[in-house]
Amino acid sequence: YRWVLTILIGVGVALSAQTMQLLISIVQEARNAVLQALTDSASPAVHVFGFYALYNLSLAGVGAVLTAYLEPTAAADGIAEIKAYLNGTHARNIFGLRTVLVRFLGSVLSVGSGLVCGPEGPMIHIGASIASGVTRADKLYSCLRLPPSVLSSFHSDRDRREFICAGAGAGMAAAFGAPVGGVLFALEEAASHWSPQLIWRIFTAALLATFTLALVKARGNSG
């Protein structure tokens, strides 16, 4: 069952990364289409720049409002919070659903607005949050008809930390397309202990995240 959850984490992280990249592309393409139309219609340069500035400012403003008023925990990239949690520091709501959604939308809006930032850091936190959610998804376990003993074992603190390490490594791998880099990041920056099982679990999640993301992109480009 541990390997099944590891596979689910890798695939889930890849799908999240693809969804984020798709939404960023939609936001940017909508802006560029309007700019192209304004340019083709020989609109004054001040109008073109005004739309460009207002569009980007609106996206960044919405992302800032969501973070400041809906879930302040979603500020920054979340890597520091992951490292703190895995090293024994209690932090509230860092893997909560609202935190993940606000960070996801904030990343889409901030990157789409043209700010000097990228989705790499938030993807690491989103990967860790997916892993955390999988270890606590009691309804999912019930749907899969897994025995109660399996449910209780994954609620242990050690197992949850190991899965979160795997999720962080998968997020790193999906963001940069580097599964080995994801493993090294998880072991050097996140994990509080090493074991052969942990290394293989992180590598599997990172490899599946990279492969699934590449496969989804290839199918989208061919379609």
Side-chain angles (χ1 to χ4, degrees):
Y1 293 117
R2 298 177 190 274
W3 290 106
V4 173
L5 294 184
T6 302
I7 293 171
L8 290 176
I9 291 170
V11 174
V13 170
L15 295 179
S16 299
Q18 176 63 15
T19 303
M20 179 181 290
Q21 293 176 2
L22 179 62
L23 292 176
I24 292 173
S25 298
I26 292 174
V27 170
Q28 293 176 338
E29 288 173 0
R31 178 193 60 207
N32 295 338
V34 176
L35 289 175
Q36 186 65 47
L38 292 174
T39 303
D40 293 341
S41 63
S43 298
V46 65
H47 293 173
V48 178
F49 178 77
F51 169 78
Y52 178 81
L54 184 61
Y55 185 90
N56 291 340
L57 184 61
S58 300
L59 292 179
V62 171
V65 169
L66 287 175
T67 304
Y69 293 100
L70 188 59
E71 188 53 70
T73 310
D77 55 17
I79 296 177
E81 288 81 356
I82 295 173
K83 294 168 67 174
Y85 174 82
L86 292 177
N87 284 278
T89 302
H90 176 68
R92 297 185 59 186
N93 300 328
I94 61 172
F95 300 123
L97 179 60
R98 188 164 63 178
T99 302
V100 176
L101 292 177
V102 172
R103 177 165 280 126
F104 184 91
L105 292 176
S107 300
V108 171
L109 295 172
S110 59
V111 176
S113 67
L115 291 177
V116 186
C117 60
E120 292 81 10
M123 272 308 309
I124 296 173
H125 177 268
I126 290 171
S129 299
I130 290 174
S132 175
V134 167
T135 60
R136 293 188 170 186
D138 295 337
K139 293 182 179 180
L140 176 62
Y141 296 145
S142 299
C143 292
L144 295 176
R145 298 181 180 179
L146 298 178
S149 59
V150 175
L151 300 180
S152 59
S153 66
F154 292 141
H155 280 284
S156 68
D157 189 63
R158 177 175 179 176
D159 284 326
R160 188 162 181 256
R161 291 174 187 272
E162 290 185 355
F163 280 118
I164 289 174
C165 281
M172 179 75 171
F176 291 98
V180 176
V183 176
L184 294 177
F185 171 82
L187 293 178
E188 293 178 2
E189 300 292 336
S192 56
H193 72 280
W194 287 22
S195 68
Q197 294 83 2
L198 176 61
I199 294 174
W200 280 111
R201 206 169 295 155
I202 296 173
F203 180 72
T204 301
L207 186 63
L208 279 172
T210 306
F211 175 77
T212 305
L213 184 58
L215 181 63
V216 172
K217 287 183 176 179
R219 291 180 63 88
N221 293 333
S222 65

